[in-house]
Amino acid sequence: DTLPYSIRVLFESSVRNCDGFLVKETDAMNILDWKTKQNHVEVPFCPARVVLQDFTGIPAMVDFAAMREAVRNAGGDPGKVNPACPTDLTVDHSLQIDFSKCAIQNAPNPGGGEQKPLARLSPLKPPLRKPPPCRGHSGCRGSCGAGEAGRSPGPFPAQIENTPILCPFHLQPVPEPETVLKNQEMEFGRNRERLQFFKWSSKVFENVSIIPPETGTAHQVNLEYLSRVVFDVKDFLHPDSVVGTDSHTTMVNGLGILGWGVGGIETEAVMLGMPLTLPLPEVVGCELTGTVSPFATSIDIVLSITKHLRQADVAGKFVEFFGSGVSQLSVADRTTIANMCPEYGAILSFFPVDNVTLKHLKHAGFDKAKLEVTEAYLKAVKLFRNDESSSREPEYSQVVQVSLSSIIPYVSGPKRSQDRVAVNNMKSDFQACLNEKSGVKGFQIAAEKQNDIVPVQYEGNEYKLSHGCVVIAAVISCTNNCNPSVMLAAGLLAKKAVEAGLVVKPYIRTSLSPGSGMVTHYLSSSGVLPYLSKLGFEVVGYGCSTCVGNTAPLPEAIRNAIKQGDLIACGVLSGTKNFEGRLCDCVRANYLASPPLVVAYAIAGTVHIDFDTEPLGTGFNGKSIYLRDIWPTRQELHTVEEERVISSMFKELKEKMEKGNKRWNLLEAPESTLFPWDLKSTYIRCPSFFDKLAKEAAPPRAVENAHVLLFLGDSVTTDHISPAGSIARSSAAAKYLTSKGLTPREFNSYGARRGNDAVMTRGTFANIKLLNKFIGKPAPKTIHFPSGQTLDVFEAAELYQKEGIPVIILAGKKYGLGSSRDWAAKGPFLLGVKAVLAESYEKVHRSQLIGIGIAPLQFRPGENPSTLGLTGREQFSILFPPDLLPRMTLDIKTSTGKVFSVIALFENNMEITLYKNGGSLNFVARRFL
């Protein structure tokens, strides 16, 4: 009765899966004795299922295919290599914005380099020049002179009305399908190899289901379709739980489902029946009290709670919510809050199932019998939270109190999600950022240049750009779209703005990429979608786009103006990641905001504005329109939600999931037990992780005379280590693809090519914002010390490997921050990195390094390269003893004669076993032999 609810889920799992081998009786007893054993013991956890998204899912499935090959070659039965638990893979990270409200991209891949759009005119703007013949495009409304009989079908199918696409020859509206359909066509075309591989996987692997493209994002589909809350397997009931390779997996905790994001390497182990091993965590109770301000959205609640929990130091802990304020939050609010927990370092943020959850499940389509069983079961095993004030609350490791009444609207930025800025302080804070020295917030703009204005001609009109100008405004497919209130708030704000006569400047890259068709459904049924479209926020597709760097290039005139004036241009997005350079290399300030604020800043055209005293713009009759004039009230939102956001949208999604889509259904794929690798493929390659697979593991080898490949500072993110966005034309990956006969427009993105180890290894540390202390400025470069050359990181690593010289990485605090990304470990491994020596690590990334066979070493408290007098130009030797123990102290000797001690950051014996086996992939493969 006193255990936190999240710990009760761990306890139930240990009891149910106790086999005396992987899960022992002592493990269950340790969990039951959580109050005294927390942080002192390790416990196993067997999730009920696994969720993958395609960026991290394809290397996982490629590894399974390669493991089948390796097991066959070693004399085993490849057909036995299958996931041991239900595994759902959602193809949601392949979407790129080729077509939007006011642009037709001339190339199939904006990630392959800058391209000039064929047309940048609004559908209502007349052509500026004499229209050339349109070569018989049947859909064009311009007078091309082509007769009906002589028209070829071309790329623009006819007979579908209400489209924003323009004929590139007449610059007139074309009766196309929705923009989303054009982007779907491009997605299927450029990713055919990957999709065929996924379809093969769904045919030959047991327990694998593939959610095809354009269905929705992994975390969204997980919430709306895959979540069971309670599993019912052959009349045996147990709680739903999940781990996933998407960092947003934590969203499901808002439904009372224990789940969190892990690396692809650990996920593969879970898929093969191995439990996760984790220190029995502390549980921080977050008590919510009071009521929310009418102007604050769930995003404001998220950011406020993020700040409180960061200050409470919840890294590596569970967070569980309780108190009178919890029942005031809808499930949509809860999932939005739970989604952000990776940003404040917690493993997960758990909302136990209560009456609010049951009410949501009823609307989501759970039938009466299922609901009755769910409620009865959860109450029977004490996993149901009674929201009555008289009910007894669990005991927690510590309690953090948050008053919902004190929360006001915030944004986060300009470079980090933890840097919150009150909206009413935005103007002064941005001004302070211009003044501050370059760093985590500052841009160091000289005082005499802070008021510079750069005029720019665009579409026949002159605009003036200045510091703080908004050039990207994206309501994207993470965090917010599970929450009808914030999305509807954006739509209602847009409606009021259009009705007041406000517009968005045409050069601003606006986009709306929902998490699933359900979002489009309620935006459409509530009548706000046309108003969002009118302001440029048109649905571009379903998947991760701007969020992972897949935005289309800015117009050339705008890019030139930004560079000419050295302007701090801004992106505003309703996501969770805003690292510098993530959206676009010339957009240096990025702010996270709620969807209605994204629309508001797009209308204002600048973040350098005080909404209380300055108008958004001028409406009809020259009237100044302020944000307060168009901000929807809570009553308005509540009315629309009640009337429009109904159970039918969940029913529609489920029908869509079960039917699939035509392109996917017609896609052909092989059915052989082993995948027929195509040696010419630039998407799918058999990786080299199993090349030296032997039946027995060799003891860990010493690292002798290693050079430092990179000398990095604090907060190096997985984006820095393994980019997910576009492939730069000058990069090592681009050179490789060019050598294979591809043109820049065919490069696609790093994320799409994660099934090709040759591309991903060359993309490792290829981020343009990587700051290597050897170079002294942001660039994906390093020094090859034997020759003294400055080279691309891959080229230097390749030389070291040819010379037989091992390499290590030196880093500061929080190495591996950000989204879980398995190639952030696999890439360095294939570059020859034997160890990382850092001041501290992001938890998931540390485990990923071990899972691939890289030793995570940590400086002792108070020590770092500076205090030890290390330049990084030394050579390092590290001896690993055969009887390696968790958190053992090791000595490192440098070529200068210096000897210092570090901590081997293995947390448990299982991690040491994985490391000795060369990582979890080889460990699992050996089990089949």
Side-chain angles (χ1 to χ4, degrees), residues 91-129:
V91 185
D92 70 336
H93 274 49
S94 304
L95 176 68
Q96 296 183 16
I97 305 174
D98 298 291
F99 300 90
S100 61
K101 172 71 176 177
C102 46
I104 299 177
Q105 293 302 317
N106 191 14
N109 173 33
E114 296 182 19
Q115 303 144 60
K116 295 181 179 180
L118 289 177
R120 286 293 302 167
L121 299 178
S122 97
L124 302 179
K125 189 172 181 68
L128 300 177
R129 54 185 171 79

Side-chain angles (χ1 to χ4, degrees), residues 284-292 300-312 319-326 328-329 337 344 399-408 420:
V284 178
C286 186
E287 183 177 15
L288 303 182
T289 60
T291 55
V292 185
D300 301 311
I301 299 172
V302 167
L303 298 177
S304 179
I305 290 175
T306 296
K307 180 180 180 181
H308 281 87
L309 293 177
R310 275 188 181 277
Q311 293 172 344
V319 173
E320 187 168 296
F321 292 86
F322 73 102
S324 59
V326 174
Q328 299 177 43
L329 300 180
I337 294 167
Y344 44 81
V399 172
V400 177
Q401 293 182 324
V402 178
S403 171
L404 301 179
S405 306
S406 66
I407 296 174
I408 59 175
R420 295 198 314 156

Side-chain angles (χ1 to χ4, degrees), residues 14 21-32 42-44:
S14 69
F21 177 59
L22 292 174
V23 183
K24 301 177 181 179
E25 184 177 333
T26 53
D27 295 321
M29 293 301 102
N30 283 335
I31 298 174
L32 188 60
E42 298 157 2
V43 295

Side-chain angles (χ1 to χ4, degrees), residues 183-195:
N183 283 319
Q184 282 180 19
E185 184 179 340
M186 302 301 293
E187 182 178 359
F188 267 83
R190 68 162 64 90
N191 293 295
R192 178 169 294 275
E193 282 184 56
R194 298 169 64 242
L195 297 177

Side-chain angles (χ1 to χ4, degrees), residues 701 704-709 782-791 793-807 830-832 834 875:
R701 297 177 58 184
E704 298 179 351
N705 299 316
H707 272 295
V708 176
L709 180 64
T782 195
I783 297 174
H784 176 254
F785 288 107
S787 66
Q789 300 178 79
T790 298
L791 302 169
V793 175
F794 171 79
E795 293 170 346
E798 190 176 39
L799 276 181
Y800 281 126
Q801 288 186 325
K802 288 180 180 178
E803 296 160 349
I805 300 173
V807 293
L830 294 178
L831 289 178
K834 304 300 180 185
Q875 287 181 273

Side-chain angles (χ1 to χ4, degrees), residues 712-760:
L712 306 172
D714 296 340
S715 300
V716 174
T717 71
T718 50
D719 268 6
H720 290 117
I721 303 170
S722 181
S726 61
I727 299 174
R729 293 189 179 195
S730 60
S731 67
K735 295 172 187 175
Y736 166 81
L737 293 172
T738 301
S739 74
K740 297 295 182 181
L742 273 64
T743 62
R745 63 195 294 176
E746 298 170 312
F747 285 172
N748 213 319
S749 66
Y750 283 113
R753 294 193 180 273
R754 284 189 180 182
N756 185 325
D757 60 316
V759 171
M760 297 308 297

Side-chain angles (χ1 to χ4, degrees), residues 332-384:
D333 291 330
R334 299 175 187 191
T335 54
T336 310
I337 294 167
N339 178 67
M340 279 293 279
C341 78
E343 305 307 317
Y344 44 81
I347 299 175
L348 55 87
S349 292
F350 191 69
F351 288 85
V353 175
D354 60 8
N355 289 321
V356 174
T357 317
L358 293 180
K359 184 178 179 181
H360 169 83
L361 294 176
K362 180 180 179 180
H363 289 300
F366 276 44
D367 61 42
K368 184 178 180 181
K370 168 71 172 174
L371 278 174
E372 289 176 349
V373 169
T374 297
E375 182 177 1
Y377 168 74
L378 292 175
K379 287 181 176 179
V381 295
K382 300 185 178 180
L383 287 174
F384 188 87

